[in-house]
Amino acid sequence: MYFLKRLIAVIPLVILISLFAFCLVRIAPGGPFDKDRAYASPAVERNLRAKYHLDEPLWKQYGRYLGGLVQGDFGPSLKYRSHSVTDIIAQGLPVTLTLGGFAFVLALGLGVPLGFWAAVRDGARDSRMAEFLALLAVCVPNFVVGPILVMIFSIKLQWLPVALWESPMHMILPVITLALYYAGRVARLVKEGMSEVLNSGFIVTARAKGLRESVVLVKHALKTAVLPVVSYSGPMLANLLTGSFVVENIFQVPGIGVFLVNGSMNRDYTLVVGLVVLYAVLLLVLNLVADLIYALLDPRVRYE
């Protein structure tokens, strides 16, 4: 019942977010047809505004947009005039989902073992090295990591392509660039969780029963220590999908992040609002899924 209520609550939140986005993009200076003024007459611009209903009052424009949104129609793009926003999302979303999905798997694949090792070997030299690597991954932003990886692996060693999205080899650098920060965050969460769990009474009891150390660490300690990672996974995946536009621009990956940046620069109102709504839905739904998984993994959790 709790999750059903949460799911129903998503609807008014999405409507509110769409309203804020709809109003904010129109407050920004400039308009979608400013660049056309160099070669188009005022009459042409008036016709364009009438075609896209931009000459109507703002409340009427939003009502029209909301009516289309309820039917799954994000409206026409004001910049890419031969395409609708739905077409652009259908084109770019699979790329963004692929990039974010692989980065998510890599972040967990690197972060969980690194944090586990740092906690188990606490105080040793290799533990301090693991903590340093996790901290370094968190501190260095992806717009710095990306060019460094390109200089090393693409320009100097010539092992990997510089940019674009044409083969599995083209995916390696963008995925690594996007995943490293979150791998560091996951490692720190696992390290803190494991350090706390290893001092718990049930771990002492498990060891007193004569269980093998590997069973105590993996089956008992790690299962509990990884719960904060599960809770973080929903926002992390949403951030990977919504925050990938920097990496997409660095490597010229044709995902929806590139269209969001271009739409913002060109004042493509419908495209920007449509992508903001899409990102909001992803964030809300993924957080809800993370809460559900957390409840399934931890029987102590009860939602009232």
Side-chain angles (χ1 to χ4, degrees), residues 101-123:
F102 278 113
F104 178 76
V105 173
L106 182 61
L108 293 179
L110 292 176
V112 172
L114 190 64
F116 178 83
W117 184 260
V120 172
R121 299 280 297 171
D122 192 22

Side-chain angles (χ1 to χ4, degrees), residues 171-232:
M171 299 168 57
I172 295 175
L173 290 184
V175 168
I176 293 175
T177 302
L178 186 59
L180 282 180
Y181 168 80
Y182 296 97
R185 291 290 303 272
V186 169
R188 291 171 65 85
L189 285 173
V190 173
K191 189 338 181 128
E192 293 170 2
M194 282 290 295
S195 298
E196 183 178 349
V197 170
L198 288 176
N199 296 319
S200 301
F202 74 94
I203 296 296
V204 176
T205 303
R207 284 171 172 163
K209 290 181 178 179
L211 296 178
R212 288 180 299 176
E213 187 67 11
S214 59
V215 175
V216 173
L217 292 176
V218 177
K219 186 176 180 180
H220 295 281
L222 183 60
K223 183 180 178 181
T224 304
V226 82
L227 288 176
V229 178
V230 174
S231 182
Y232 176 62

Side-chain angles (χ1 to χ4, degrees), residues 20-286:
F20 279 131
F22 191 89
C23 296
L24 287 175
V25 294
R26 283 162 171 76
I27 293 175
F33 309 121
D34 288 355
K35 295 181 180 179
D36 298 334
R37 289 174 180 170
Y39 54 87
S41 64
V44 172
E45 183 177 351
R46 284 196 300 271
N47 290 335
L48 285 172
R49 294 183 64 84
K51 176 182 178 182
Y52 294 108
H53 307 286
L54 298 179
D55 55 346
E56 296 178 349
L58 193 61
W59 64 268
K60 192 172 183 180
Q61 292 182 47
Y62 179 71
R64 188 186 300 276
Y65 179 81
L66 187 60
L69 189 63
V70 171
Q71 302 174 28
D73 181 12
F74 290 91
S77 171
L78 305 181
K79 180 64 178 178
Y80 307 97
R81 293 169 192 166
S82 59
H83 297 84
S84 67
V85 176
T86 305
D87 295 334
I88 294 173
I89 291 175
Q91 174 186 336
L93 184 58
V95 177
T96 296
L97 290 177
T98 303
L99 174 61
F102 278 113
F104 178 76
V105 173
L106 182 61
L108 293 179
L110 292 176
V112 172
L114 190 64
F116 178 83
W117 184 260
V120 172
R121 299 280 297 171
D122 192 22
R125 179 180 299 177
D126 48 359
S127 172
R128 292 196 294 270
M129 178 58 67
E131 291 185 49
F132 171 75
L133 291 175
L135 182 62
L136 184 66
V138 171
C139 292
V140 182
N142 51 23
F143 61 82
V144 175
V145 173
I148 291 176
L149 293 179
V150 169
M151 289 176 60
I152 296 174
F153 295 102
S154 298
I155 298 175
K156 186 175 180 62
L157 299 176
Q158 297 184 355
W159 289 353
L160 298 169
V162 176
L164 301 181
W165 191 262
E166 298 176 353
S167 70
M169 296 295 289
H170 288 80
M171 299 168 57
I172 295 175
L173 290 184
V175 168
I176 293 175
T177 302
L178 186 59
L180 282 180
Y181 168 80
Y182 296 97
R185 291 290 303 272
V186 169
R188 291 171 65 85
L189 285 173
V190 173
K191 189 338 181 128
E192 293 170 2
M194 282 290 295
S195 298
E196 183 178 349
V197 170
L198 288 176
N199 296 319
S200 301
F202 74 94
I203 296 296
V204 176
T205 303
R207 284 171 172 163
K209 290 181 178 179
L211 296 178
R212 288 180 299 176
E213 187 67 11
S214 59
V215 175
V216 173
L217 292 176
V218 177
K219 186 176 180 180
H220 295 281
L222 183 60
K223 183 180 178 181
T224 304
V226 82
L227 288 176
V229 178
V230 174
S231 182
Y232 176 62
S233 293
M236 179 176 73
L237 183 55
N239 289 334
L240 283 168
L241 297 177
T242 59
S244 63
F245 65 90
V246 175
V247 174
E248 290 177 9
N249 276 272
I250 292 174
F251 294 97
Q252 290 301 294
V253 176
I256 56 176
V258 174
F259 289 109
L260 178 60
V261 173
N262 292 337
S264 301
M265 297 292 293
N266 294 310
R267 301 295 184 268
D268 192 339
Y269 299 150
T270 50
L271 179 58
V272 172
V273 176
L275 294 180
V276 168
V277 170
L278 176 65
Y279 283 147
V281 171
L282 288 173
L283 181 62
L284 293 169
V285 171
L286 290 173

